[in-house]
Each structure stands twice: as structure tokens, then as C-alpha cells.
Amino acid sequence: MDGIVEPVPVRMIDSPCVNICVMDDATGLCTGCARTIDEIAGWTSGSAAWRDAVMADLPGRVGSRS
């Protein structure tokens, strides 16, 4: 198999990131996407179920920020 490269399927991961990456010290949330630093850091390695749960929680976080 020397010299043969097998294609690996690429699966895009949905992300709430809007490229406004500034952490709010008062809330501990990103001002752009409303995730915590731990959520941001673990996004690509977290399970799909975990990411779905975080995504479902985000609208409530955004609404509670002032």
C-alpha cells in the first residue's frame, strides 16, 4: 500500500462561533457565541450529543446577557 492515500470522509461540525471571540469576565461567556471557555476548548472533541445540548442551551444564555 505504499504511495496509496485513502480518502477520509470529512464531517463538518456545526458551531455557534461568529468570530467575535471575547470572553466576558462578569458572565464567563464569550460575547459572540455565549459559550464558556471549556465549551469552546472542547468543541471539536466533544460528542455530538454534548454539542447538541450546548447549542440548545445557547438561546437562553443570549437572552439573559445584558
Side-chain angles (χ1 to χ4, degrees), residues 23-43:
M23 298 307 292
D24 182 315
D25 290 333
T27 64
L29 300 175
C30 174
T31 59
C33 67
R35 291 179 293 169
T36 66
I37 195 71
D38 289 337
E39 290 167 343
I40 293 167
W43 198 253

Side-chain angles (χ1 to χ4, degrees), residues 12-66:
M12 297 301 294
I13 296 175
D14 289 332
S15 173
C17 182
V18 294
N19 294 321
I20 303 172
C21 305
V22 177
M23 298 307 292
D24 182 315
D25 290 333
T27 64
L29 300 175
C30 174
T31 59
C33 67
R35 291 179 293 169
T36 66
I37 195 71
D38 289 337
E39 290 167 343
I40 293 167
W43 198 253
T44 58
S45 62
S47 70
W50 174 77
R51 287 191 303 271
D52 289 345
V54 172
M55 292 285 278
D57 194 45
L58 293 179
R61 296 179 191 181
V62 173
S64 68
R65 293 187 298 181
S66 301

